[in-house]
Amino acid sequence: AQSVTQPDIHITVSEGASLELRCNYSYGATPYLFWYVQSPGQGLQLLLKYFSGDTLVQGIKGFEAEFKRSQSSFNLRKPSVHWSDAAEYFCAVGNYNQGGKLIFGQGTELSVKP
Amino acid sequence: ETGVTQTPRHLVMGMTNKKSLKCEQHLGHNAMYWYKQSAKKPLELMFVYSLEERVENNSVPSRFSPECPNSSHLFLHLHTLQPEDSALYLCASSQDRASYGYTFGSGTRLTVV
């Protein structure tokens, strides 16, 4: 069965520091991979997605993620964090052949120190 | 504004009440979804509709009843809920299956008292 693991429940970084949020997936074939962000009281917003091709994908708000098949990982990175990046981040895996079902990780809450 | 609108934003209801959550999308998408988001738990997929037909029901209790009258609208009818049903209910839509990712609404914060 597909699964997504985000090992870090909560991360705190200083403003201006770099950020990496971890995501590991379990899936038998090449998955579709996504990162979403959720601000308090809001729905989820798509940051970026990977389907195929270049394993380094660029997203909105200066985020990028790298697909590493050998490690079954899809980590999210940002070189310099802004206070407005404080939110909850969700990694998700999907499969075209399973009728549009996305499986989400439990989320990583990001706090940003001034 | 994401193009997926959920109403109401907040709802408080008693355990004997009947209420409905509404979701509307103006993106021309063919699939719509209900997710439940409880504190400290992963998002739980409840229902999937594709081209107005329910294609998945993830063992959701019958006190939750979805309705999809057309490709732009999705409802979640609620009756005799339990306090543990209090959560953020998120609606999402996608062009076609999972290929394009989901567009989410802002959710309805439901409190059952």
Side-chain angles (χ1 to χ4, degrees):
Chain A
Q2 292 171 267
S3 67
V4 180
T5 302
Q6 294 179 245
D8 305 304
I9 294 175
H10 190 198
I11 283 183
T12 299
V13 299
S14 297
E15 191 168 16
S18 63
L19 171 70
E20 182 169 29
L21 301 182
R22 296 183 290 164
C23 173
N24 294 98
Y25 67 90
S26 172
Y27 186 60
T30 299
Y32 297 133
L33 294 161
F34 305 83
W35 274 100
Y36 285 86
V37 61
Q38 184 180 31
S39 298
Q42 299 297 314
L44 279 70
Q45 180 184 21
L46 180 65
L47 283 176
L48 47 78
K49 58 192 176 188
Y50 171 79
F51 293 157
S52 64
D54 192 348
T55 56
L56 184 63
V57 293
Q58 302 297 320
I60 62 171
K61 304 184 180 186
F63 285 92
E64 66 178 26
E66 186 171 13
F67 171 57
K68 293 186 177 180
R69 183 189 303 276
S70 62
Q71 298 176 20
S72 297
S73 69
F74 188 57
N75 294 349
L76 182 71
R77 302 193 295 247
K78 186 169 184 177
S80 178
V81 169
H82 188 263
W83 64 267
S84 60
D85 293 323
E88 188 143 23
Y89 292 79
F90 294 91
C91 181
V93 60
N95 178 303
Y96 182 88
N97 294 321
Q98 289 201 353
K101 187 164 68 174
L102 281 186
I103 306 298
F104 286 85
Q106 68 180 73
T108 297
E109 185 178 357
L110 173 66
S111 297
V112 180
K113 293 189 300 185
Chain B
E1 195 61 47
T2 66
V4 178
T5 303
Q6 289 188 244
T7 54
R9 291 296 306 274
H10 301 273
L11 177 63
V12 179
M13 59 185 289
M15 289 189 283
T16 59
N17 291 160
K18 290 185 180 181
K19 297 287 185 183
S20 296
L21 310 185
K22 180 182 177 182
C23 177
E24 186 173 359
Q25 59 98 359
H26 301 286
L27 302 169
H29 287 171
N30 293 320
M32 297 185 77
Y33 313 82
W34 280 116
Y35 274 86
K36 176 183 179 182
Q37 186 178 30
S38 305
K40 309 302 182 187
K41 294 175 68 175
L43 276 77
E44 301 171 51
L45 178 64
M46 301 176 72
F47 300 103
V48 179
Y49 276 83
S50 178
L51 298 173
E52 302 156 42
E53 290 191 21
R54 189 191 310 180
V55 297
E56 185 151 349
N57 172 356
N58 272 9
S59 302
V60 179
S62 59
R63 57 186 184 269
F64 295 92
S65 174
E67 179 189 3
C68 188
N70 55 61
S71 60
S72 299
H73 294 87
L74 183 65
F75 295 89
L76 188 62
H77 303 300
L78 316 171
H79 65 98
T80 59
L81 294 191
Q82 304 298 311
E84 59 265 29
D85 296 322
S86 299
L88 182 67
Y89 288 85
L90 292 165
C91 173
S93 68
S94 65
Q95 177 65 41
D96 183 14
R97 309 292 181 90
S99 301
Y100 303 94
Y102 294 173
T103 300
F104 280 87
S106 297
T108 295
R109 173 67 64 185
L110 173 66
T111 303
V112 181
V113 297

